[in-house]
């Protein structure tokens, strides 16, 4: 397996009015996505924010769980949090992965909005394990901007449930998507 | 479809030391599971807590999103929160569903621990849509007690990812389980 990576980006994303913003870190998102990454064998979990105070906040939180009191309190959580890598922008992740794996990752955006040029879940499932690592990108707030999605190599199909309601939290959506891509079939 | 229901129980569950406790409500669990329920067409989302102050807290929160400022702020969230039904113990849900649907629900517990007598995801998937409604029960904290699991008609297979790590949040687990049972195949 060349590896799958996930990224949670806090910029550029939309707010509810469709304006481009930098969202605030939510510690529960980091906990939940790190655990999903650990469960499905992701090689790393990139947390992307350009704000320095937010980076310091995240560093503190991660160190707490990885090395400090949190490790003794819950070693499982510690194991998951150890997958987190803090970066300022997605390009850093591309460069780091290219350096470590010898190939730039296939960048795949996720969005609840259908904007054409989609990969289905089964199409992406087949690509995982190819020579090229896959980077799955999740947005926060009201989702990745169209511009951010358009910079990806592909965009993954939206999750369709049974009702047309597709306003899932990123915590639930990340679990469902990783399970569709990597879970037992 | 006779209907699928979900329940989130705060008693009886384990704490990290294996002691039986009543856990505190976490508002983000209610939001996330309500949205999963709405996405996959659940007929209702029962929130189970025996503590009166916790019930009042939940009532306030639900009313805020269903009728108040929250409705105007985010009608999608309001739609999902409208599925929540507050109860003191699981038996109330059984009685209410039996009254409304003419058949007591098949009670299916979820647990990360494998305790034998399991239904696989595909086995349970086939039962949804039978005459009998299905009630899927999620625990909080360190999970439903063995006793609570043993009182269920069935217990669902644990989620196996790729690594043996199965310490997912209930928010991610609920999404994955509902998708395995009701998502497109």
């Amino acid at each position: 397996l060349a590896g799958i990576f996930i990224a949670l980006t806090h910029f550029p994303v939309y707010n509810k009015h469709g304006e481009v913003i930098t969202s605030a870190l939510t510690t529960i998102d980091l906990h939940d996505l790190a655990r999903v990454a650990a469960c499905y064998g992701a090689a790393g979990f990139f947390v992307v924010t350009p704000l320095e105070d937010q980076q310091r906040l995240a560093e503190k939180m991660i160190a707490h769980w990885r090395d400090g009191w949190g490790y003794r309190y819950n070693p499982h959580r510690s194991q998951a949090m150890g997958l987190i890598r803090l970066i300022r922008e997605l390009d850093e992740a591309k460069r780091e992965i290219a350096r470590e794996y010898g190939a730039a990752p296939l960048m795949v955006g996720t969005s609840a909005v259908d904007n054409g040029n989609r990969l289905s879940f089964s199409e992406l499932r087949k690509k995982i394990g190819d020579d090229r690592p896959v980077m799955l990108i999740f947005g926060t707030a009201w989702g990745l901007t169209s511009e951010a999605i358009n910079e990806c190599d592909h965009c993954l199909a939206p999750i369709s449930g049974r009702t047309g309601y597709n306003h899932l939290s990123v915590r639930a959506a990340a679990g469902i998507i990783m399970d569709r891509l990597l879970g037992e079939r």
Side-chain angles (χ1 to χ4, degrees), chain A:
Chain A
L1 207 70
I4 185 161
F5 294 83
I6 64 175
L8 183 70
T9 64
H10 299 81
F11 173 84
V13 293
Y14 290 127
N15 68 8
K16 68 168 300 213
H17 304 294
E19 296 154 349
V20 180
I21 57 158
T22 303
S23 66
L25 284 184
T26 311
T27 57
I28 205 161
D29 289 354
L30 271 52
H31 280 273
D32 281 18
L33 269 69
R35 291 151 82 185
V36 165
C39 180
Y40 290 94
F45 168 26
F46 290 93
V47 173
V48 189
T49 177
L51 300 180
E52 283 201 14
D53 66 323
Q54 296 278 294
Q55 291 210 334
R56 278 195 297 271
L57 183 75
E59 268 164 20
K60 237 177 170 164
M61 199 264 280
I62 297 162
H64 169 84
W65 282 99
R66 197 151 50 186
D67 316 309
W69 172 87
Y71 174 77
R72 294 185 299 280
Y73 180 73
N74 188 341
H76 296 301
R77 196 64 67 91
S78 181
Q79 179 189 346
M81 299 303 265
L83 293 170
I84 297 182
R85 295 160 72 163
L86 274 173
I87 54 173
R88 280 178 177 67
E89 50 170 23
L90 265 180
D91 275 352
E92 281 182 50
K94 276 164 93 164
R95 287 194 297 271
E96 287 186 16
I97 294 171
R99 200 163 51 228
E100 292 164 23
Y101 289 79
L106 191 74
M107 303 293 275
V108 181
T110 65
S111 165
V113 183
D114 199 333
N115 65 356
N117 188 28
R118 289 276 177 178
L119 274 188
S120 72
F121 286 92
S122 63
E123 284 166 341
L124 182 55
R125 198 177 161 98
K126 281 182 208 127
K127 287 183 190 292
I128 299 169
D130 280 358
D131 292 342
R132 211 171 153 188
V134 169
M135 167 76 94
L136 202 56
I137 304 149
F138 296 98
T140 50
W142 267 253
L144 295 168
T145 62
S146 313
E147 211 171 51
I149 292 274
N150 289 339
E151 281 177 12
C152 295
D153 297 304
H154 295 284
C155 184
L156 189 59
I159 295 168
S160 50
R162 290 264 171 146
T163 60
Y165 184 97
N166 67 352
H167 308 278
L168 292 171
S169 69
V170 71
R171 299 168 290 279
I176 293 166
I177 288 172
M178 289 292 276
D179 189 62
R180 287 190 179 189
L181 296 176
L182 293 150
E184 287 176 285
R185 280 290 177 277

